[in-house]
């Protein structure tokens, strides 16, 4: 949106902004100025309606979106601080629990476990399961637990309905939450679940916050899960002033608990709700919007809207069909290299992280700088996780996960037997490992060397705790820690090859701490709190002169002048895991729609005839979405005819399985199913048209079919 367009609201935006009381749903299409509508709504309430800013709450999903909202509202009102509570759901939950969690009998100095901490804890719990190897992975157990928590559910106690894996998950549910409680910790889901629980079960708490926040605003409402929906509903009960902004066509996070039903059922859940549609797009050109509209119109789960723009016609959306994944990557790199466009305005979007490797190699060969969003996060690097574990243990001495990470980092001469004895003693006494360490100093059953090493560790932690209480600045604390434990020397000795780059990471971390201290020193607890809520997008610097590579999910909320959407093939986009469900296919279609509408000026689509999957070349077939968006104006790019004398040999036309002798379809035959895509016959039995075949598809799925009736064509026999 240009500066001139931002200065005034169109008619639909004005109606949404000035609808003051009662529930409202703003259906804001991609690029329709939804952030401006929220900003103007907040400014109008404060400046025109005279609402006390402290009675306003606005929740969104990323720190970047929240910061942008805060900055814009402050600029709009001409003041440094607005006074309203503007932030993410998780940051609100963290803020709320710091003040109210004692109602649940827990301490407000709890630690927030991130994904790495959760996985580390779950690995330990799975390993401790009785009766030999578990039939479930730690990641599967965490996913099962998270899905229940996001829906505010608990495991079903009816054992007759449980599979072996579910029985193990039930056991792990109890042990996992016992371990969190013992460690004085919560996970990310708890920030929402415990908030919803407190608001639901404690009337005095609920009433207090309903009175405090008389105007509740929810951004990206289509991305809310049941816990977030419950928080929004409970906070807005009584006054009923819920202002939700969202777009059902951009609901793409069901895999992490979001449900499109929240936005589709808004009018049912909040009777007498006003619904406003923002359909004028200020971002993309007509060809891009036409193709995107044509695609998403095939979905049935919609409230209905069509994006339009007053912008002049732009470049046609082009589709390039290439031979394989390497050719696709070369095409993208060559076009970027030859165009001379600002690299900051170029994004390459893909469905899965595995597609990034070939793109990275092609860009590297061309000398084109790039950034991979969703790679190893800066704050996820081992060096920083080590240092943060020390700081987390300072704040929360019951954090056994942090203790276990750093008790021998750098090495303190504590062997596996010693650490195992400490863990056994902690379990026997039901006490934190840090308390065990304090007692160990006087335990004569341990050697003098072990007692001395542990005593030095305890004294170090006490010194750090004292420094943290006396000084709100974090950088001096980090520098003191690094010096006391000799961390730089530890890196140098443990990694002679890459120690310089690892030390640079440590130095960059110190620099980030200094910057945070200079901005506004908040103390160690707040510093750790802010870091715990960071996402990949928050760490991305859009001003870096580099091409951005990212998954479509990561690109949500961003925009670029030039977008390449690669890998438009069946089994990839739409993803193979979605083939069994119409709802899942609709979400894949929305995902493609989101990718397309990230582009402002130029959108290029690509697909490969063949792509290496698990080391084997496979032919997936082009995505059905290409046909669906074609009426909107997508054109197939036809390269100039080759001057080579060699003539291409036409591929033989695939044969339908019903047209050939079934006995010819044997193990190893390559086939394509109309729904599941390409695959390989792994087993066959019977004869003729009644022959049964078991096929392993490129998605990894295995299915069995009756050859004579299944919609299968043979690619080679």
């Amino acid at each position: 949106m240009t500066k001139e367009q931002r200065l005034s609201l169109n008619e639909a935006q004005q109606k949404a902004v000035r609808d003051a009381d009662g529930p409202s749903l703003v259906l804001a299409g991609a690029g329709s100025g939804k952030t401006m509508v929220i900003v103007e709504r907040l400014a109008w309430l404060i400046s025109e309606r005279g609402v006390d800013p402290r009675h306003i709450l606005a929740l969104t999903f990323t720190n970047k979106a929240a910061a942008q909202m805060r900055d814009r509202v402050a600029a709009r009102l001409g003041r440094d601080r607005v006074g309203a509570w503007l932030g993410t759901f998780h940051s609100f939950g963290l803020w709320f629990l710091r003040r109210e969690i004692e109602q649940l009998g827990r301490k407000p100095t709890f630690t927030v476990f991130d994904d790495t901490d959760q996985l580390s804890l779950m690995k330990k719990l799975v390993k401790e399961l009785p009766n030999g190897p578990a039939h479930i992975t730690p990641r599967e157990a965490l996913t099962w637990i998270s899905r229940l928590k996001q829906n505010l559910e608990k495991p079903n106690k009816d054992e007759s309905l449980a599979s072996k894996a579910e029985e193990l998950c039930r056991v792990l549910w109890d042990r996992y939450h016992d371990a969190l409680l013992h460690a004085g910790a919560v996970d990310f889901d708890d920030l929402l679940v415990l908030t919803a629980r407190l608001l639901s079960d404690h009337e005095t708490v609920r009433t207090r916050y309903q009175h405090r926040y008389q105007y509740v605003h929810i951004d990206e409402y289509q991305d809310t899960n049941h816990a977030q929906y419950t928080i929004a509903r409970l906070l807005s009960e009584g006054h009923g002033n819920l202002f939700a902004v969202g777009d059902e066509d951009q609901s793409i996070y069901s895999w992490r608990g979001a449900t499109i039903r929240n936005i589709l059922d808004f009018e049912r859940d909040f009777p007498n709700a006003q619904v406003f549609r923002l359909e004028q797009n200020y971002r993309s050109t007509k060809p891009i919007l036409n193709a995107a509209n044509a695609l998403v119109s095939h979905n049935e789960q919609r409230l209905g809207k069509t994006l339009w723009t007053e912008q002049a016609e732009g470049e046609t959306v082009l589709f390039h069909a290439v031979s394989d994944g390497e050719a696709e990557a070369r095409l993208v790199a060559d076009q970027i290299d030859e165009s001379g466009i600002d690299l900051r305005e170029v994004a390459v979007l893909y469905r899965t992280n595995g597609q990034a490797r070939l793109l990275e190699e092609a860009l590297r060969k061309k000398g084109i700088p790039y950034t991979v969003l969703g790679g190893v996060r800066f704050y996820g690097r081992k060096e920083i996780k080590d240092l943060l574990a020390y700081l987390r243990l300072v704040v929360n001495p019951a954090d056994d996960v942090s203790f276990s990470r750093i008790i021998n980092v750098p090495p303190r001469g504590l062997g596996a037997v010693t650490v195992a004895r400490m863990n056994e003693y902690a379990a026997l006494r039901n006490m934190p490992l840090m308390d065990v360490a304090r007692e160990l100093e006087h335990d004569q059953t341990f050697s003098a060397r072990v007692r001395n090493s542990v005593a030095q560790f305890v004294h170090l932690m006490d010194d750090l705790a004292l420094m943290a209480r006396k000084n709100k600045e974090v950088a001096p604390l980090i520098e003191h820690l690094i010096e006391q434990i000799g961390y730089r020397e530890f890196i140098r000795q443990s990694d002679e090859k890459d120690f310089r780059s690892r030390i640079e990471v440590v130095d960059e971390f110190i620099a980030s701490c200094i910057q945070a201290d200079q901005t506004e020193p908040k103390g160690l607890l707040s510093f750790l709190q802010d870091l715990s809520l960071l996402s990949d997008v928050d760490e991305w610097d859009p001003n870096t002169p580099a091409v951005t590579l990212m998954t479509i999910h990561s690109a949500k909320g961003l925009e670029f002048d030039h977008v390449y959407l690669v890998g438009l093939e069946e089994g990839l986009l739409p993803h193979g895991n979605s083939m069994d469900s119409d709802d899942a296919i609709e979400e894949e279609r929305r995902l493609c729609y989101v990718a397309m509408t990230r582009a402002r000026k130029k959108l290029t689509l690509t697909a490969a005839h063949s792509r290496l999957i698990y080391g084997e070349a496979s032919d997936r077939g082009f995505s059905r979405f290409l046909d669906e968006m074609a009426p909107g104006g997508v054109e197939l790019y036809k390269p100039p005819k080759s001057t080579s004398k060699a003539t291409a040999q036409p591929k033989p036309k695939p044969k339908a399985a019903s047209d050939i002798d079934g006995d010819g379809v044997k193990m190893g035959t390559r086939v394509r199913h109309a729904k599941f895509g390409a695959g390989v016959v792994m087993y066959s039995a019977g004869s003729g048209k009644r022959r049964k075949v078991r096929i392993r598809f490129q998605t990894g799925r295995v299915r069995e079919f009756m050859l004579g009736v299944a919609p299968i064509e043979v690619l080679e026999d």
Side-chain angles (χ1 to χ4, degrees), residues 124-125 128 178-179 182 400 419-437 439:
K124 177 176 179 292
L125 297 177
E128 293 172 352
D178 287 345
H182 178 74
D400 285 352
V419 175
R421 284 184 62 189
M422 294 176 69
N423 277 285
E424 290 173 4
Y425 194 65
L428 183 65
R429 296 277 301 277
N430 191 30
M431 60 193 298
L433 286 167
M434 191 65 195
D435 288 350
V436 172
E439 292 188 1

Side-chain angles (χ1 to χ4, degrees), residues 26-288:
V26 181
L27 293 175
S32 63
K34 72 175 181 64
T35 303
M36 184 175 71
V37 166
I38 296 176
V39 168
E40 291 298 321
R41 158 81 173 183
L42 299 180
W44 181 76
L45 284 174
I46 295 169
S47 61
E48 300 294 329
R49 288 290 301 271
V51 175
D52 187 331
R54 291 172 296 181
H55 290 323
I56 295 175
L57 174 69
L59 300 178
T60 186
F61 281 82
T62 68
N63 291 317
K64 274 189 178 297
Q68 184 183 53
M69 192 185 302
R70 281 193 296 270
D71 292 343
R72 288 192 183 183
V73 174
R76 177 68 175 78
L77 296 176
R79 60 181 75 169
D80 292 334
R81 294 180 181 276
V82 176
W85 208 105
L86 312 178
T88 66
F89 268 101
H90 287 89
S91 62
F92 175 76
L94 182 54
W95 174 85
F96 177 87
L97 292 177
R98 293 286 186 211
R99 287 154 180 78
E100 303 295 341
I101 201 169
E102 288 179 298
Q103 303 271 358
L104 301 177
R106 303 174 70 166
K107 295 181 179 179
T109 54
F110 59 83
T111 300
V112 181
F113 275 17
D114 64 15
D115 183 73
T116 304
D117 302 320
Q118 290 178 263
L119 191 58
S120 176
L121 173 59
M122 187 57 74
K123 285 179 179 177
K124 177 176 179 292
L125 297 177
V126 169
K127 188 176 180 180
E128 293 172 352
L129 286 172
N131 303 323
H135 298 283
I136 191 168
T137 67
R139 178 61 68 192
E140 289 170 341
L142 286 171
T143 299
W144 187 87
I145 290 171
S146 180
R147 185 174 64 251
L148 287 178
K149 292 175 75 168
Q150 289 170 354
N151 289 325
L152 300 181
E153 297 175 355
K154 291 185 178 180
N156 188 336
K157 297 299 183 182
D158 188 349
E159 296 184 2
S160 65
L161 301 177
S163 64
K164 179 64 176 177
E166 188 167 346
E167 288 178 6
L168 291 173
C169 283
R170 289 174 178 175
V171 173
L172 290 169
W173 169 283
D174 291 332
R175 296 188 180 188
Y176 173 73
H177 287 99
D178 287 345
L180 286 179
L181 194 62
H182 178 74
V186 301
D187 62 20
F188 259 63
D189 288 330
D190 285 329
L191 297 178
L192 304 177
V193 171
L194 296 180
T195 297
R197 176 180 164 189
L198 277 163
L199 290 171
S200 177
D201 297 347
H202 295 259
E203 184 178 358
T204 55
V205 174
R206 180 172 67 253
T207 302
R208 183 164 67 252
Y209 284 90
Q210 287 174 349
H211 177 73
R212 177 167 184 168
Y213 298 118
Q214 298 175 18
Y215 291 88
V216 179
H217 301 74
I218 308 297
D219 187 19
E220 305 287 7
Y221 191 72
Q222 79 281 347
D223 293 335
T224 53
N225 58 32
H226 184 62
Q228 290 160 331
Y229 160 81
T230 300
I231 292 170
R233 179 177 57 80
L234 291 173
L235 286 173
S236 60
E237 275 184 354
H239 54 69
N241 296 325
L242 176 62
F243 188 86
V245 181
D247 180 6
E248 80 278 18
D249 292 333
Q250 297 187 70
S251 179
I252 60 173
Y253 294 115
S254 66
W255 51 275
R256 69 182 190 195
T259 170
I260 194 173
R261 298 310 315 177
N262 286 345
I263 191 168
L264 295 180
D265 296 340
F266 189 89
E267 291 179 271
R268 185 200 68 184
D269 295 339
F270 302 96
N272 303 317
Q274 296 264 31
V275 178
F276 305 91
R277 284 173 169 78
L278 306 184
E279 298 176 299
Q280 183 174 0
N281 178 283
Y282 296 97
R283 176 189 300 159
S284 305
T285 61
K286 287 181 180 179
I288 294 171

Side-chain angles (χ1 to χ4, degrees), residues 494-507:
S494 61
D495 192 349
E496 294 182 0
K497 182 179 179 181
D498 296 324
F499 78 89
R500 288 187 178 84
S501 61
R502 293 182 63 190
I503 288 178
E504 287 175 359
V505 170
V506 173
D507 291 338

Side-chain angles (χ1 to χ4, degrees), residues 370-403:
Y370 63 88
T371 298
V372 181
L373 202 62
V376 178
R377 292 176 51 195
F378 176 71
Y379 288 100
R381 295 289 298 268
K382 179 187 182 305
E383 299 78 23
I384 298 179
K385 293 286 287 183
D386 287 345
L387 297 175
L388 287 176
Y390 276 94
L391 301 185
R392 286 169 46 167
L393 194 60
V394 168
V395 170
N396 178 16
D399 186 350
D400 285 352
V401 170
S402 293
F403 181 97

Side-chain angles (χ1 to χ4, degrees), residues 419-593:
V419 175
R421 284 184 62 189
M422 294 176 69
N423 277 285
E424 290 173 4
Y425 194 65
L428 183 65
R429 296 277 301 277
N430 191 30
M431 60 193 298
L433 286 167
M434 191 65 195
D435 288 350
V436 172
R438 293 186 184 282
E439 292 188 1
L440 189 147
E441 183 178 358
H442 307 291
D443 190 336
Q444 299 298 319
T445 64
F446 289 90
S447 69
R449 178 180 57 80
V450 168
R451 295 200 309 272
N452 183 58
S453 293
V454 173
Q456 289 181 8
F457 174 77
V458 170
H459 296 159
L460 169 66
M461 299 308 299
D462 288 343
D463 288 343
L464 293 172
L466 183 61
M467 287 185 66
R469 284 196 294 269
K470 289 183 176 180
N471 190 351
K472 284 192 173 183
E473 293 184 344
V474 177
L477 194 65
I478 289 289
E479 291 173 328
H480 177 75
L481 167 63
I482 291 171
E483 180 181 352
Q484 290 298 307
I485 64 177
Y487 195 69
R488 285 190 175 87
E489 184 60 29
F490 162 64
I491 292 175
R492 185 174 286 105
Q493 293 179 359
S494 61
D495 192 349
E496 294 182 0
K497 182 179 179 181
D498 296 324
F499 78 89
R500 288 187 178 84
S501 61
R502 293 182 63 190
I503 288 178
E504 287 175 359
V505 170
V506 173
D507 291 338
E508 181 62 26
F509 179 48
I510 294 174
S512 70
C513 293
I514 293 173
Q515 185 178 17
D517 289 340
Q518 291 174 343
T519 302
E520 183 182 0
K522 301 178 182 178
L524 181 56
L525 181 60
S526 294
F527 174 79
L528 293 175
Q529 173 178 304
D530 291 344
L531 287 188
S532 70
L533 298 174
L534 281 179
S535 66
D536 292 336
V537 175
D538 295 322
E539 295 180 33
W540 172 64
D541 182 3
N543 295 316
T544 301
V547 174
T548 301
L549 309 180
M550 69 180 99
T551 64
I552 304 171
H553 284 101
S554 296
K556 176 75 162 49
L558 305 178
E559 57 186 74
F560 302 85
D561 283 349
H562 304 265
V563 169
Y564 289 87
L565 175 55
V566 301
L568 274 161
E569 301 143 29
E570 288 290 302
L572 198 53
L573 185 62
H575 196 276
N577 291 342
S578 67
M579 297 301 185
D580 292 340
S581 165
D582 290 340
D583 287 350
I585 287 292
E586 289 212 355
E587 179 156 335
E588 291 290 303
R589 188 176 287 114
R590 293 193 295 268
L591 190 61
C592 187
Y593 171 83

